[in-house]
Amino acid sequence: MRRNYLITLIISIFLILLGTQAQGINPYYYQLLIFFGINSILAMSLNLINGFAGQFSIGHAGFMAVGGYFSAALSVYQGEKLLAFLNFLPTNVAQIVEFFIFLLVGGLVAGILGLLVGIPTLRLRGDYLAIATLGFGEIVRVAILNLDVVGGPRGFPGIPQRTNLSWIIFWFIVCYLVIRNLINSSHGRAIISIREDEIASETMGINTTFYKVLAFVIGAFFAGIAGGLFAHYLMMLHPSSFTFFRSVEVLLMIVLGGLGSISGAILGAFILTILPEALRGFTYLRLVIYSIILILLMLLRPQGLLGGREISLSIFKRFINPKVDRS
Amino acid sequence: MENILQQIINGLSLGSIYALIALGYTMVYGILRLINFAHGDIYMVGAFLGYFALGYWNLSFPMGLIFAMAGSAILGILIERFAYRPLRLAPRISLLITAIGVSFLLENLMVLWVGASPRPFPQKIPVEVYFVGNIVFTNRQIIIIAVSVFLMFILQFIVLKTKVGKAMRAVSFDKETALMMGIDIDKIIALTFAIGSSLAAAGGVLVGLYFNKIEPYMGVMPGLKAFVAAVLGGIGIIPGAMIGGYILGIAEVLVSAFISSTIRDAVAFIVLILILLVRPSGILGKYMREKV
């Protein structure tokens, strides 16, 4: 077990260092990689709520907006002060620490908001919950439109660019490990049992409210982190980035990949990041083709591409050592 | 006081339109348990059909309204047949995603066809302004309220007094049993879509008349709000959708008149969350205890 952690750690550090070397690649691909990473974090976090806990939430853009705007506002209004406070460190390190703190705070605020929204609304079930979370997302957007301190409808410019591929890889790995380990723990079994049958799992003595709120808060936290990464990459935020369409896009990723599959969420994020770019050549027809592909995929494969299964290294293990126990 | 009355009259016109769209939502939800996200876009298509009928073919207003309703009814049937029916046994979430896909498709096809910029709606009915004391209202507001109330009465009549309506209620109550009783479920579902879509189209034409502006993305917000209205009143319940529509319309107008017009779009959702917290199944909905 300990060896596994060590290997994971080494691979992670290697990937993060690899990210620092990526500046040389084509800027277009670089940007696509960044967006793919952000979308994956969003998709994995929503998948925890929708796919594993079975709580139908379509307000993810709201949490992303809260995290993004909060960490961006901190960078713009408090960034200098924190850097001055950290002046005993070399400038590079101070910037890394600063960005980490601000991202974390943005994520935590989103998580706390998730707690505040989750406790009352998670009493609702199915479509009612969906529509309540949708409403929450819209309320956040309208609130931002009315907040002059972050630019309101004009958008919020002047955010320092701190996000690079290493940061994306780092948070991608953190998000992946947290959610995978949670799901594979006994808490994760509890969360999945709520999806399968809420009342039965309650009868079995599972504190369903606690686990639903837990999934919701962790999901909101990572959505907030993704928002912060997004803000510090684009250097500019606009309320129109966080409409209902954004929430739907993330939902599409996880349904396309297969609900309840982490690798499915990543696959869905990959496809829906690439697809609009691949269709660029069609100009006006692009969105029509996009929607037709979407409908056809659902008609032909309603359970999603992976349908709840995971792609993992054990698939390869089977070829190497057929006797490996995969129960 | 007069100001409040004035705003309530404005709210009634807006609310009638929300109610018309909400009826389609609630009917489809009642039968398929599907949040038909494409419904707001059918409303948009209806508005454009009215635009072409009135502006290009010079039909009279009632004829244009009927044309738009008929066209959208056919569209609704086609969508149900080719996008939703194949998925009737699939997980509900894939049905929902398909609905979202259809919604995007309608919007983008319309952008491709007429462009994304707003267009003025042909004004067939000259505006007349009436005064009662200091309260102003126009003949358009009267037309909107009258047409929607009339359509709602027809719908109530169909659902409660006719054989088809009885079959619709049976299907929404229990599909399998209805099938065993010899009801052609496919036909009834198609009919539900046709009726719901034609009501949405009527809403679209009335909005064109009222706000004098239509565009391919006009269905998104009213669609969401109409769904909120349906949930508010208790989804699946027809009078609930009407009540929800009027509550939303009036609340929205009052808030934008007396508090701030910038939070207008959030009002619907704040009202929704407040009501759901007190009555989780809507105003007219009955709370059903779930069993294992």
Side-chain angles (χ1 to χ4, degrees):
Chain A
M1 213 48 213
R2 178 151 297 170
R3 215 182 100 230
N4 268 346
Y5 278 122
L6 202 63
I7 293 174
T8 317
L9 191 69
I10 292 171
I11 294 178
S12 311
I13 292 174
F14 173 71
L15 283 174
I16 292 167
L17 288 177
L18 197 67
T20 60
Q21 301 308 310
Q23 298 287 3
I25 66 171
N26 184 335
Y28 176 65
Y29 294 126
Y30 187 76
Q31 176 167 347
L32 272 186
L33 272 175
I34 298 257
F35 285 149
F36 164 55
I38 294 176
N39 284 340
S40 308
I41 297 174
L42 283 172
M44 283 190 280
S45 60
L46 185 65
N47 194 28
L48 178 66
I49 305 173
N50 268 10
F52 288 115
Q55 301 304 306
F56 195 19
S57 161
I58 40 179
H60 224 50
F63 295 116
M64 187 187 175
V66 169
Y69 266 95
F70 211 88
S71 60
L74 281 178
S75 286
V76 170
Y77 294 116
Q78 302 294 330
E80 296 294 323
K81 278 185 205 162
L82 189 64
L83 281 180
F85 179 73
L86 293 169
N87 63 1
F88 56 91
L89 293 169
T91 321
N92 291 355
V93 183
Q95 276 191 354
I96 289 176
V97 174
E98 179 221 17
F99 185 40
F100 183 78
I101 293 175
F102 286 164
L103 265 188
L104 201 64
V105 173
L108 287 176
V109 171
I112 292 169
L113 200 66
L115 185 71
L116 294 180
V117 177
I119 290 175
T121 50
L122 285 170
R123 293 191 308 158
L124 304 169
R125 288 192 183 164
D127 299 333
Y128 290 98
L129 177 67
I131 222 69
T133 50
L134 190 166
F136 159 76
E138 284 299 313
I139 290 170
V140 167
R141 195 176 60 85
V142 174
I144 291 172
L145 279 175
N146 285 285
L147 272 180
D148 221 35
V149 68
V150 290
R154 296 183 306 279
F156 188 32
I159 306 165
Q161 187 172 42
R162 292 285 152 77
T163 305
N164 55 32
L165 202 56
S166 296
W167 278 110
I168 298 280
I169 295 172
F170 172 71
W171 280 108
F172 178 92
I173 293 172
V174 170
C175 181
Y176 176 79
L177 288 180
V178 166
I179 289 175
R180 196 201 61 178
N181 287 354
L182 176 72
I183 287 308
N184 290 336
S185 70
S186 61
H187 299 295
R189 302 285 147 207
I191 288 176
I192 292 172
S193 79
I194 295 173
R195 171 187 75 190
E196 296 301 327
D197 193 328
E198 189 171 339
I199 294 151
S201 56
E202 192 159 9
T203 328
M204 298 302 284
I206 289 168
N207 187 344
T208 52
T209 318
F210 171 77
Y211 282 112
K212 282 197 284 186
V213 173
L214 179 74
F216 206 69
V217 168
I218 294 176
F221 170 78
F222 281 113
I225 297 280
L229 291 168
F230 182 73
H232 288 85
Y233 179 72
L234 285 184
M235 305 191 285
M236 156 97 190
L237 282 180
H238 197 271
S240 64
S241 308
F242 304 105
T243 52
F244 169 62
F245 183 78
R246 193 38 167 278
S247 303
V248 165
E249 213 179 20
V250 185
L251 185 70
L252 291 180
M253 290 171 195
I254 60 173
V255 176
L256 198 66
L259 273 179
S261 159
I262 301 178
S263 33
I266 299 171
L267 179 69
F270 181 74
I271 294 175
L272 287 192
T273 311
I274 299 295
L275 188 63
E277 298 299 326
L279 294 175
R280 278 245 182 262
F282 293 96
T283 58
Y284 291 114
L285 262 178
R286 183 168 75 103
L287 288 167
V288 174
I289 299 176
Y290 180 88
S291 19
I292 291 176
I293 290 179
L294 208 69
I295 298 172
L296 284 181
L297 266 171
M298 279 300 116
L299 289 180
L300 300 175
R301 210 168 155 75
Q303 72 274 43
L305 292 171
L306 292 186
R309 279 189 301 270
E310 294 285 354
I311 299 178
S312 70
L313 291 176
S314 60
I315 292 180
F316 303 108
K317 269 188 204 152
R318 189 166 27 157
F319 293 110
I320 301 163
N321 179 6
K323 277 184 206 150
V324 75
D325 183 9
R326 293 186 307 111
S327 63
Chain B
M1 190 58 216
E2 273 167 354
N3 202 354
I4 293 182
L5 270 179
Q6 175 74 59
Q7 296 307 331
I8 286 180
I9 290 179
N10 297 346
L12 279 179
S13 344
L14 188 63
S16 310
I17 293 165
Y18 285 155
L20 277 182
I21 314 173
L23 285 171
Y25 262 120
T26 224
M27 288 168 67
V28 167
Y29 190 90
I31 282 200
L32 282 188
R33 302 272 173 270
L34 161 71
I35 304 178
N36 183 11
F37 271 113
H39 196 68
D41 299 291
I42 293 177
Y43 147 90
M44 177 271 294
V45 172
F48 271 95
L49 287 176
Y51 169 83
F52 288 119
L54 296 179
Y56 286 77
W57 306 326
N58 243 336
L59 298 179
S60 65
F61 184 77
M63 286 309 290
L65 186 67
I66 291 172
F67 172 79
M69 288 174 71
S72 295
I74 294 170
L75 179 69
I77 293 175
L78 288 178
I79 292 173
E80 194 274 328
R81 177 67 191 81
F82 292 106
Y84 300 155
R85 193 178 294 178
L87 283 171
R88 209 163 282 163
L89 297 174
R92 276 183 51 209
I93 190 157
S94 33
L95 199 62
L96 186 86
I97 299 291
T98 314
I100 293 173
V102 172
S103 156
F104 287 172
L105 185 64
L106 290 179
E107 276 164 24
N108 295 314
L109 279 178
M110 198 50 99
V111 171
L112 207 60
W113 187 23
V114 299
S117 45
R119 298 169 170 238
F121 198 78
Q123 296 305 311
K124 282 278 159 158
I125 299 173
V127 186
E128 289 168 37
V129 182
Y130 307 106
F131 290 92
V132 175
N134 282 330
I135 300 169
V136 187
F137 55 95
T138 64
N139 55 342
R140 285 186 186 160
Q141 288 176 315
I142 298 176
I143 292 173
I144 289 171
I145 297 173
V147 170
S148 8
V149 171
F150 174 68
L151 290 174
M152 290 178 213
F153 268 113
I154 293 186
L155 179 69
Q156 273 295 43
F157 177 77
I158 293 177
V159 171
L160 294 179
K161 302 281 178 201
T162 63
K163 216 170 167 184
V164 177
K166 206 177 199 176
M168 281 165 73
R169 282 181 284 145
V171 173
S172 91
F173 194 72
D174 187 336
K175 264 198 247 111
E176 280 76 32
T177 317
L179 186 67
M180 279 186 262
M181 292 309 206
I183 294 172
D184 185 346
I185 293 188
D186 286 341
K187 215 187 251 170
I188 294 297
I189 292 178
L191 185 75
T192 310
F193 269 85
I195 295 177
S197 304
S198 65
L199 290 175
V205 174
L206 293 176
V207 154
L209 184 74
Y210 193 44
F211 293 116
N212 190 18
K213 194 185 87 175
I214 55 171
E215 44 131 354
Y217 295 110
M218 67 188 273
V220 180
M221 249 308 149
L224 289 180
K225 285 182 190 162
F227 184 71
V228 166
V231 175
L232 208 63
I235 196 153
I237 304 163
I238 288 176
M242 298 178 205
I243 293 175
Y246 282 113
I247 289 180
L248 268 199
I250 291 171
E252 207 169 87
V253 168
L254 286 181
V255 166
S256 49
F258 295 108
I259 302 173
S260 156
S261 59
T262 43
I263 57 167
R264 182 186 166 132
D265 279 345
V267 174
F269 301 104
I270 296 174
V271 171
L272 170 84
I273 291 180
L274 291 180
I275 290 201
L276 283 186
L277 292 180
V278 187
R279 283 191 67 89
S281 43
I283 296 173
L284 295 187
K286 287 193 199 73
Y287 183 63
M288 284 206 271
R289 190 111 196 110
E290 285 182 54
K291 291 190 208 97
V292 182

